[in-house]
Amino acid sequence: MAEVSLRRVAKRYGSFQAVENFDLDIAHEEFVVFVGPSGCGKSTTLRMIAGLEDISDGEIWIGERVVNDLPPRARNISMVFQNYALYPHMTVRQSQGFGLRMARRPKEEIAEKVNRATSLLGLQGLLARRPAALSGGQRQRVAMGRAIVRDPDVFLFDEPLSNLDAKLRGQMRTEIKKLHEKVRTTVIYVTHDQVEAMTLADRIVVMRDGRIEQVGTPYEVFHTPASRFVAGFIGSPPMNLIDARIVGDGQGGLAVAVPGGPALPIDPARFVGVRADTEVTLGLRPESIAPEGMGGPIERPYGFAADIGLVEPLGSEALLILALGDVEVTARVFRPGPRLAPEAGVRFVIDLNDLHLFDDTTGRRLDRRSE
Amino acid sequence: MSIGADTRAATGRSPHLARRRLPAAEPYFYLAPGIALVAIVMLVPLAVGVSFSFQNYVIFRPSARGWIGIANYVDLWSDRTFWLALRNTARWTFWSVAFQLFLGLGLALILNRPFFGRPIFQSLVFLPWAVPTFLSGLNWQWLYNPIVSPLPGWLAAVGILDEPRNILSDPDLALYGPITAMIWWGIPFFAITLLAALRSIPQDLYEAAAIDGASTWQSFRHITVPFLLPMITITIMLRTVWVANSPDLIFVMTGGGPASSSQILPNYVFTTAYRALDFGYASALATVLMVLLVIYSVFLLFVRGRLGQ
Ligand SMILES: Nc1ncnc2c1ncn2[C@@H]1O[C@H](COP(=O)(O)OP(=O)(O)OP(=O)(O)O)[C@@H](O)[C@H]1O
Ligand SMILES: [Mg+2]
């Protein structure tokens, strides 16, 4: 059993605050993904959990113990590094067994565990090779094997797939997910790729500038982003974020007015704290805007006419760049027909149930669900 | 001018043979000037030197000069000074290189981790290397002089010597004077090369090892040592050849004495050639040293090759 808890953890490099006030409880066997832009402190946090970096403030618990002052080897964790950090002078077999040999385990036990990891990862036939004679994907697998062999309480991954090409990355992503089904352990996985985060995670931790921006399931993070930053970071293509204004709709209700464009009525039951004549950021997912008749099921349609400026066909879907008032927004169409082309005055619908509003100054979500 | 100019039809004969032979020989044409230069600069003097060892070649008896086969080597077999010098060469080289290696490695390990004042300390460590050997020889000669230096007194105080006297005039100990000077002078070479090798070890391997549960000693044993070994063997080889061939510190500090007791082969070669003026015999001595060093180097390179697998 290994829950991992971080209590108000901070990391300072001199006067630079790399991680601050990091509070998180990770359940046993949970797969948690830290995601965020480059330099936001993901690796630093992971390395503090691993014991490779001193903790400036706060406490880290693994299982029943505070591990702040324990060296990495006393924490019973494994880590897969971004560049794999394989021992170049050891064969695959030797490096798989390295941890167990250092712990002076009996030979039969080492052989058995190495064999198990080998068959789990399909490394048969590579055991006598050195890292220099392996492909990138194979090295990645060996690094994972080395981590598995030791039966750790917690697995740490630091961008393990970022050195692979797109296709292999997809395959390995699936494999990691399958592996977690077989080897149930607590996993903390760092990536800056939001697709990896969405597909792998039980829970996603979105980070920004050393702080947690939102913690939630992939569904929550996608459908109710806690802030403008999360909204723009999760989802591909990213959510359209429009500087807009709340206005009265003339019948006692409220609407959000796109500059130079339509005013979209908003549901007063949902956006309770919103008042007229305030600036907000309006968020619209590309998939909740579609030409009439081409969208999926739309709960509360709102129709308007717009000019399609550009079409980006992607095969199974297409991105349309259109003018909504004075702003350009992206719409996403699934199963586009062959004749999609730039065109003026096309009828579009927006799903009014899929509006996101964010406070103009704080960037926080304006929504009853987030309170 | 036409494309068919040198086909069989155009020339009426087969161009195949000439064509095929030329490409095989071609690289050697390009290499020829280089090979010639190496041969002239290195191999010819070597061959001439070795050929002296098969001659009776004493400068002040020019009329007696001539080929005498292996007579010089036969003389050498029964020359007690030769055997003494050979033993001394082994002793001199072994202790010098062994201490340089361990102290140099220690220094490199210390300098590899950051501490306050490291840049200053680092330049101080490398200072002996910049001191001319003759100067350091003279310095150490003075250091062993009980009249001007406290060192003999200290050696007596810790019980190494029975009384504060000059070890350079003791036939049993004289060689250790130049050996300490050589160690002092040569440590920086090991420290520099091993520090460079240490710096080239990727830091994340130590992190991976720490996570794999390795203790400090275990990561030294399983990461640092394997990475350093190729560098260590090549440095040992270079230093051995170098130290074994260096008569200058001994020349300055003891002159090979007292009574040849600190004579090593290069000193003996030098005195034979320039004091006794017997170039033939001196060449035989030098050739023996060279052959021994070549065998040693080949052995070390073989070991290094095995390590690299
Ligand atoms: N040794 C250090 N000294 C000073 N600042 C550091 C040090 N290590 C990291 N930082 C800073 O801490 C911040 C967080 O770094 P970290 O490596 O955790 O980023 P990251 O989220 O992993 O980014 P990436 O996705 O690029 O790997 C960065 O701004 C970085 O410059
Ligand atoms: Mg990182």
Side-chain angles (χ1 to χ4, degrees):
Chain A
M1 288 291 284
E3 297 88 7
V4 178
S5 298
L6 292 93
R7 300 276 152 74
R8 308 185 67 79
V9 169
K11 176 71 191 180
R12 285 180 291 272
Y13 292 109
S15 62
F16 177 72
Q17 187 91 32
V19 176
E20 53 191 306
N21 210 357
F22 197 103
D23 258 313
L24 183 68
D25 287 300
I26 299 169
H28 179 56
E29 294 188 357
E30 192 176 16
F31 200 124
V32 166
V33 175
F34 293 176
V35 68
S38 190
C40 69
K42 309 178 295 286
S43 299
T44 307
T45 311
L46 196 74
R47 291 167 56 84
M48 284 194 284
I49 299 171
L52 297 173
E53 210 77 64
D54 290 334
I55 301 162
S56 307
D57 226 329
E59 275 180 355
I60 295 181
W61 291 71
I62 296 179
E64 307 289 290
R65 296 182 300 172
V66 178
V67 296
N68 283 33
D69 298 320
L70 294 181
R73 67 196 161 96
R75 298 190 183 192
N76 200 22
I77 40 139
S78 288
M79 183 155 167
V80 177
F81 293 80
Q82 180 170 2
N83 54 3
Y84 320 136
L86 296 178
Y87 310 120
H89 53 292
M90 293 186 204
T91 62
V92 171
R93 188 195 300 281
Q94 286 167 334
S95 64
Q96 305 277 293
F98 183 72
L100 294 171
R101 272 190 288 136
M102 294 304 101
R104 304 222 161 71
R105 309 310 288 266
K107 279 214 170 58
E108 308 79 59
E109 181 192 334
I110 299 180
E112 186 214 307
K113 287 189 170 166
V114 168
N115 284 341
R116 193 174 51 114
T118 303
S119 54
L120 213 54
L121 287 161
L123 291 170
Q124 301 92 336
L126 302 178
L127 282 174
R129 297 215 203 153
R130 291 190 192 213
L134 298 173
S135 74
Q138 290 168 335
R139 282 178 209 183
Q140 215 283 326
R141 255 179 254 260
V142 172
M144 293 211 297
R146 179 174 69 178
I148 291 175
V149 164
R150 291 178 40 245
D151 283 332
D153 288 337
V154 184
F155 264 114
L156 308 175
F157 289 86
D158 192 354
E159 308 207 18
L161 306 184
S162 60
N163 283 348
L164 305 179
D165 68 51
K167 187 160 173 238
L168 198 52
R169 203 180 308 155
Q171 284 173 8
M172 290 307 297
R173 203 169 60 208
T174 319
E175 279 199 33
I176 290 178
K177 188 148 193 169
K178 281 189 195 150
L179 203 63
H180 184 239
E181 302 292 318
K182 286 185 217 154
V183 188
R184 299 297 302 186
T185 340
T186 312
V187 176
I188 307 176
Y189 186 106
V190 162
T191 178
H192 59 246
D193 177 358
Q194 47 105 10
V195 179
E196 262 169 50
M198 294 294 283
T199 49
L200 290 173
D202 292 327
R203 270 196 308 160
I204 294 181
V205 177
V206 184
M207 291 182 67
R208 176 199 192 184
D209 294 340
R211 293 167 175 278
I212 295 184
E213 194 78 10
Q214 183 173 9
V215 181
T217 62
Y219 188 90
E220 288 167 350
V221 169
F222 186 82
H223 290 280
T224 51
S227 68
R228 191 167 46 202
F229 173 81
V230 177
F233 193 80
I234 301 287
S236 166
M239 186 186 279
N240 297 295
L241 294 170
I242 304 160
D243 291 326
R245 192 177 174 78
I246 302 291
V247 294
D249 67 354
Q251 298 147 24
L254 292 175
V256 52
V258 176
L264 310 173
I266 57 174
D267 180 358
R270 206 176 126 198
F271 299 99
V272 279
V274 179
R275 273 167 293 114
D277 292 324
T278 48
E279 304 290 328
V280 293
T281 303
L282 165 66
L284 282 173
R285 289 266 176 223
E287 39 283 310
S288 54
I289 311 172
E292 229 162 44
M294 293 178 88
I298 284 184
E299 296 170 31
R300 272 182 70 205
Y302 175 91
F304 66 101
D307 303 343
I308 301 177
L310 194 68
V311 177
E312 291 180 359
L314 297 171
S316 64
E317 58 186 63
L319 303 183
L320 311 179
I321 314 294
L322 57 123
L324 178 63
D326 298 342
V327 288
E328 276 200 335
V329 296
T330 309
R332 186 177 188 181
V333 184
F334 299 95
R335 304 206 199 182
R339 275 193 299 280
L340 265 180
E343 199 180 334
V346 180
R347 293 295 301 172
F348 277 88
V349 282
I350 290 178
D351 189 347
L352 290 179
N353 268 356
D354 208 11
L355 295 189
H356 304 262
L357 295 183
F358 303 99
D359 189 290
D360 187 53
T361 44
T362 63
R364 303 308 297 177
R365 182 180 185 80
L366 297 170
D367 194 359
R368 208 170 50 189
R369 270 181 277 176
S370 66
E371 278 159 17
Chain B
M1 275 287 138
S2 80
I3 294 166
D6 60 6
T7 61
R8 183 193 289 256
T11 57
R13 62 186 166 83
S14 165
H16 280 172
L17 265 182
R19 275 283 181 82
R20 214 185 296 145
R21 234 174 251 160
L22 197 63
E26 197 178 316
Y28 296 97
F29 286 117
Y30 298 132
L31 285 173
I35 291 174
L37 199 69
V38 169
I40 291 166
V41 174
M42 296 182 61
L43 298 180
V44 170
L46 186 68
V48 170
V50 172
S51 76
F52 284 171
S53 71
F54 298 103
Q55 296 176 31
N56 181 1
Y57 183 12
V58 183
I59 295 289
F60 54 80
R61 265 185 265 136
S63 57
R65 187 168 176 187
W67 295 96
I68 54 168
I70 60 164
N72 279 329
Y73 293 94
V74 173
D75 288 352
L76 200 143
W77 188 256
S78 50
D79 178 356
R80 289 190 42 210
T81 316
F82 164 73
W83 289 108
L84 175 68
L86 191 61
R87 266 201 311 280
N88 278 343
T89 310
R91 209 150 53 103
W92 151 258
T93 312
F94 176 78
W95 290 116
S96 300
V97 174
F99 273 90
Q100 284 172 11
L101 168 64
F102 285 108
L103 296 175
L105 177 60
L107 265 181
L109 287 172
I110 292 172
L111 288 174
N112 193 36
R113 40 180 67 211
F115 58 86
F116 179 75
R118 177 166 73 167
I120 298 169
F121 191 65
Q122 189 165 326
S123 12
L124 283 180
V125 162
F126 296 153
L127 206 58
W129 196 240
V131 177
T133 18
F134 270 84
L135 199 60
S136 59
L138 286 173
N139 260 326
W140 279 92
Q141 194 185 28
W142 280 83
L143 277 175
Y144 279 116
N145 185 334
I147 298 165
V148 294
S149 151
L151 191 60
W154 293 344
L155 289 176
V158 297
I160 295 173
L161 290 178
D162 43 4
E163 51 171 356
R165 59 195 167 80
N166 194 340
I167 62 163
L168 298 180
S169 49
D170 177 337
D172 292 332
L173 298 177
L175 190 58
Y176 291 101
I179 285 177
T180 41
M182 182 48 117
I183 293 169
W184 177 82
W185 187 72
I187 287 172
F189 183 79
F190 271 96
I192 294 170
T193 47
L194 296 183
L195 185 60
L198 279 175
R199 294 234 165 110
S200 73
I201 304 178
Q203 216 48 41
D204 52 10
L205 293 185
Y206 289 106
E207 295 185 342
I211 285 180
D212 271 344
S215 62
T216 311
W217 165 250
Q218 283 173 325
S219 25
F220 177 76
R221 166 75 189 71
H222 294 282
I223 311 278
T224 312
V225 170
F227 264 86
L228 285 188
L229 265 185
M231 189 54 122
I232 287 179
T233 46
I234 208 78
T235 315
I236 288 180
M237 188 188 97
L238 283 175
R239 280 306 285 167
T240 305
V241 172
W242 198 338
V243 168
N245 274 320
S246 301
D248 36 8
L249 278 173
I250 295 176
F251 199 79
V252 173
M253 290 178 68
T254 66
S260 291
S261 62
S262 62
Q263 184 106 290
I264 63 167
L265 270 179
N267 293 78
Y268 192 32
V269 170
F270 186 81
T271 39
T272 312
Y274 292 101
R275 299 246 168 85
L277 296 179
D278 188 343
F279 274 63
Y281 194 60
S283 294
L285 291 169
T287 306
V288 168
L289 181 59
M290 185 188 78
V291 169
L292 290 176
L293 288 177
V294 166
I295 292 172
Y296 171 85
S297 303
V298 168
F299 172 73
L300 265 197
L301 287 177
F302 171 75
V303 169
R304 185 172 186 266
R306 292 296 298 269
L307 286 175
Q309 282 174 12

